[in-house]
Amino acid sequence: MGDRGQLQAFKSGAATGIFYPPADQTGDAGLFLAFPDQATVFGFPVTGSPAGITSYTLGTHGPTTGTGTAADPLTQVTTYTAAALANVTQTTTYVNGEQRFLVRWQVENTSGGNLSLKAMVAGDFFFDGSDRGTGVFTEGPPRFIGGTNADTGNSGGFVEVLTGSQPWSTYQALEFGTGPNQVWGKIAAAAGSASATFDGTVVGEPVDNAGAVEWDNHVAVPLPNTQSATFAVFVRSAVPSALQLSPPNAGAPQGVPVNITAIAKDTSGTPYAGRTLRYQITGANPGSGALALSADGTGTITDPGTNAGDDTIVAFVDFNNNGSREVAEPQASALATFVDNIAPSCRVKVSGDRPGGGGAGKPLVITVNCNEPARVTVATTLTVVGGVPAGAAKRRAIKLRKVTRRVSPGKRFAFRLKVPRKIARKYAGKKLRAKITVTAKDSSGNIKRKNTRRTIKLRALPRSRKSLR
C-alpha cells in the first residue's frame, strides 16, 4: 500500500505485480473521489499523469499487524485527506494463502456541510507479464470486474463486498489511457457531471486493459457533515484451474453418443465464459471441433460413437483463439468406449433349383451380403419329400458340410451347393427341401442367424463324377 492508498500485489514467486507499473511496489490502482459541486477529483499520480486529478494530502501510513490467520489477518491502515472536504481511512487485510485481499475505505465528510461525492476504485491491470488482455465480468453475487491475459488466462480485478459496504452503482472494463473513453480520462472528468462515470460495459478485444467500479449513492443524496460512508472491494488475482472433463471415462453402445462436459474456471472459481474450447477425438471415431464456453464456464463435447472401439478426447481452452495450444492453456483428456452389441445384418439370396446332373434347371447358388465384417457360416440340411426307398423313413434329414468364410461389408459371398455323390445317386430325381442357415458373427461376438428354405430336385449323377455342384 502506498501512502496515498495505491495498491499493488505480487503472487508468490512472480517477478511482476498485478497492476502497472509491474515492478513497482505501488501500482496505478486505488480510490478516487469526485466532488461534482466542487468540480474536483482527488486521487494520486498515475502513469500518463492526466490533468484534473488532485493528489490526496498525506496522513499516516501505519505498520502491518496481525499473524495472517483468518482470526487475526495481516492488517495495514493508511489515512489521507481530500483537502478540507473529506478524510479517508483505508484498511487493508489479508489472510495468508488466499488469492485476494480486502480493502475498505471509510470516507468522512469534513466539509462543514452536505457533501455530494462519487467514490471510484480503478486499476491498470498487468497479468502474467503482459498489460494486454480482455475484460471479464461475472454477475455473481458477488459481482466481479477485471481483466484476463489473453494468452495465459491469468486474471484479476475487483470483487464486490456484500457486507459492510454499499453495492456498486456501476462498473466498466476498458482500456488504459487518458482519453475520454479510457480509464484515467474518465476518472479525471468524473466531477464534471452528476451522471455515472462508468457505463457497465466490458471490453471484448485485447487492449492495454484496466477496470473500475463506482458508487454514486451520495450524488443525489449528499453525505451529511461529519458522517461517514464505507466502500470496499476485494482485490483478486487468479490463474487457470486444471481443465475438468466429466465423466473422465465413459461408455455406451455403438451408435449412442457420449457427452463429455468441460468445466473451465480460474483458481478463484470464476468461469472462463465466452472463451473457445477446442477438442480432438482420436480412435474409432476421429474428429475435432470448437465451441464457446457458456456463462458458467462449461461446454459439451459430443462423441457420436458411430464406430465401436475406444476414443480419446483431448480438449484445451484457447485463450488467445489462435487455433493451437500454448503451454499455459489448460488441457485435459477423457476416454470413451463404444461397445458393439448389434448383430450383423445379412441378406441371403438362393437361386437355382436343380443342383446336379444334366437336363433343365440351374445349379443352387447361395449369395450372402453383410453390412459389416463378419465370419459367415452356411449350413444346409436336405429333407427328402415323399417317394423314399422302401424301408426308409418318410422323411430323412441330410446334413451337408458347412461352408465358412470371412466377409467384408458390402462384398458378396457366393457359392454353389455341393451334394455328395452318394446322396445324389440315392435320391436322383427326387424332390428335397433345403433348409439353409446362415450364421454371421462379428468381431465383438454378436451373432445373427437367418434361415432360408428352398425345394429342389436332384438330377442324375454320372458314375464317373464324385459330386454334383
Side-chain angles (χ1 to χ4, degrees), residues 425-442:
R425 284 181 174 176
K426 186 172 183 179
Y427 299 104
K430 301 292 184 182
K431 286 186 177 181
L432 293 89
R433 184 172 291 113
K435 178 183 177 182
I436 301 162
T437 301
V438 175
T439 303
K441 182 176 181 180
D442 65 18

Side-chain angles (χ1 to χ4, degrees), residues 252-463:
Q254 179 184 357
V256 177
V258 162
N259 290 328
I260 304 293
T261 300
I263 305 170
K265 298 181 179 182
D266 65 23
T267 48
S268 66
T270 301
Y272 285 112
R275 300 290 180 176
T276 299
L277 181 80
R278 299 189 186 277
Y279 64 89
Q280 185 169 21
I281 302 173
T282 58
N285 300 279
S288 61
L291 54 91
L293 293 168
S294 63
D296 62 356
T298 64
T300 301
I301 302 168
T302 300
D303 187 331
T306 304
N307 303 313
D310 297 327
D311 286 337
T312 299
I313 300 100
V314 179
F316 72 95
V317 182
D318 191 357
F319 288 126
N320 59 8
N321 207 25
N322 68 351
S324 60
R325 180 179 177 261
E326 315 297 337
V327 173
E329 293 173 334
Q331 176 178 282
S333 62
L335 301 176
T337 301
F338 297 93
V339 179
D340 177 9
N341 58 7
I342 302 173
S345 175
C346 300
R347 297 193 305 273
V348 179
K349 179 181 178 182
V350 180
S351 61
D353 59 4
R354 296 178 181 272
K362 296 180 179 179
L364 201 61
V365 178
I366 302 167
T367 304
V368 181
N369 194 334
C370 297
N371 68 332
E372 64 174 302
R375 189 171 185 265
V376 174
T377 300
V378 180
T380 306
T381 301
L382 302 177
T383 303
V384 180
V385 182
V388 296
K394 185 69 175 178
R395 294 176 179 271
R396 182 176 179 183
I398 306 162
K399 293 184 179 180
L400 303 185
R401 179 176 296 179
K402 295 179 180 179
V403 176
T404 299
R405 294 276 183 85
R406 291 195 177 275
V407 299
S408 299
K411 187 174 181 180
R412 294 185 302 172
F413 156 42
F415 74 97
R416 297 184 181 215
L417 180 65
K418 294 182 178 180
V419 179
R421 180 184 58 181
K422 182 178 179 180
I423 300 300
R425 284 181 174 176
K426 186 172 183 179
Y427 299 104
K430 301 292 184 182
K431 286 186 177 181
L432 293 89
R433 184 172 291 113
K435 178 183 177 182
I436 301 162
T437 301
V438 175
T439 303
K441 182 176 181 180
D442 65 18
S443 59
S444 297
N446 300 301
I447 296 175
K448 178 72 173 181
R449 290 186 176 88
K450 189 168 185 178
N451 294 318
T452 301
R453 288 175 170 81
R454 187 93 170 186
T455 299
I456 62 174
K457 186 175 182 180
L458 293 179
R459 290 175 288 159
L461 176 67
R463 291 189 173 276

Side-chain angles (χ1 to χ4, degrees), residues 36-69:
D37 292 346
Q38 286 76 27
T40 304
V41 176
F42 283 85
F44 47 84
V46 296
T47 302
S49 301
I53 299 179
T54 301
S55 291
Y56 293 122
T57 301
L58 301 180
T60 61
H61 191 62
T64 300
T65 61
T67 59
T69 65

Side-chain angles (χ1 to χ4, degrees), residues 17 21 35 49 80 110 135 153-154 167 182 186 203 224 226 236 271 283-284 286 306 323 393:
F35 302 98
S49 301
Y80 41 89
T110 60
N154 286 12
Q182 297 173 321
K186 286 199 167 194
V203 64
T226 72
R236 189 180 76 194
T306 304

Side-chain angles (χ1 to χ4, degrees), residues 118-137:
K118 299 178 186 178
M120 299 164 287
V121 174
D124 180 6
F125 300 134
F126 192 95
F127 302 121
D128 207 30
S130 175
D131 58 5
R132 288 188 63 79
T134 57
V136 57
F137 172 75

